[in-house]
Amino acid sequence: MRSKFVRTLLAIVATLSLTIPAVGSANAIQETPSALAMTGDALIARPALLAMTVVGSVVYLVSLPFSALGGNAGEAADVLVVGPAKATFVRCLGCSMSGRKLEKVTEQEES
């Protein structure tokens, strides 16, 4: 029973990792996500992205000797580790693009 659950969970994670769009640039985000988007992001997308970050880190470490010999270790790190990590930890909850949400700063006049 547990084996079937683990296989199903791995299939879901694999499916989500293939359907999540590529990470964009880290510009300021001007989105207003709904409560449903935030809930789905917190319960489904973030755990899947965290799993992708861990798996990408393992794949990067295994492939590091080959990518170092090929001269693209930095590019491999960006794609396999940094991209998923930014999507996991630097994206506002419910937003579809990576980056920090733009905060409105208002200046108060001093009297």
Side-chain angles (χ1 to χ4, degrees), residues 8-23:
T8 304
L9 184 63
L10 287 174
I12 291 171
V13 169
T15 303
L16 288 174
S17 67
L18 293 174
T19 58
I20 295 175
V23 178

Side-chain angles (χ1 to χ4, degrees), residues 21-61:
V23 178
S25 63
N27 294 331
I29 305 300
Q30 297 180 359
E31 294 183 39
T32 54
S34 67
L36 181 62
M38 288 183 180
T39 304
D41 190 13
L43 296 177
I44 298 170
R46 297 296 168 115
L49 286 168
L50 182 61
M52 284 177 47
T53 302
V54 171
V55 170
S57 299
V58 171
V59 171
Y60 173 71
L61 287 176

Side-chain angles (χ1 to χ4, degrees), residues 88-106:
T88 304
F89 299 110
V90 185
R91 186 171 47 92
C92 71
L93 193 61
C95 292
S96 60
M97 296 175 53
S98 287
R100 297 194 183 275
K101 189 162 176 94
L102 183 62
E103 296 181 22
K104 295 181 181 177
V105 178
T106 58

